[in-house]
Amino acid sequence: IAGGLSGSVGIAVGFPFDLVKVRLQSNPGAYNSNLIRYFQEIYKEGGLKGFYTGCLTPIGSQGFVNAVLFIGESTTLKILEPNLRPGESSSHFNHFIAGCVGG
C-alpha cells in the first residue's frame, strides 16, 4: 500500500511537468518554447485541473505496478537466501539482484 501511495504522489507531483514537456515536444514553435508561457497557457485553458487531465490512469495503475515490483523483489530474495532468519539482513549483492529482477 505504501509503495502504491508513494508512486501515486510522485505522479501527482511530476505530471504537470510531463504535460508541459509533451506539449513543448509536440509544438516546439509555440510561445517560443518558453516553459513559463506553457504553464500559463495550460492554466488559462483549464485552471489547476488542466494540469492533471489524463493522470487518473497512471495514478490508478501505480499500486498494481509497485505491488508486482515488491513481490518480484521479495520472492527473488527468498530464492537467493532461503535460510535467512527473521531479523537478519540480506547481502548487498543479493538485494541488487532482487531489485533487478523485481524492477
Side-chain angles (χ1 to χ4, degrees):
I1 293 174
L5 183 62
S6 66
S8 297
V9 170
I11 289 174
V13 170
F15 198 83
F17 297 102
D18 191 51
L19 179 68
V20 170
K21 177 197 71 155
V22 168
R23 289 201 181 182
L24 277 168
Q25 290 173 337
S26 64
N27 195 4
Y31 310 112
N32 297 322
S33 297
N34 187 329
L35 185 67
I36 294 172
R37 287 189 185 160
Y38 265 97
F39 274 103
Q40 291 171 341
E41 187 62 30
I42 292 170
Y43 187 76
K44 284 180 189 175
E45 289 175 5
L48 194 57
K49 184 180 173 184
F51 289 107
Y52 294 98
T53 302
C55 77
L56 193 57
T57 302
I59 287 176
S61 64
Q62 193 63 38
F64 175 74
V65 169
N66 280 347
V68 170
L69 295 176
F70 284 122
I71 288 170
E73 180 187 14
S74 64
T75 302
T76 304
L77 275 175
K78 288 177 185 176
I79 291 169
L80 291 174
E81 297 183 358
N83 298 324
L84 194 65
R85 294 184 204 135
E88 290 182 340
S89 296
S90 300
S91 71
H92 293 296
F93 181 74
N94 285 343
H95 267 288
F96 171 75
I97 296 298
C100 290
V101 171

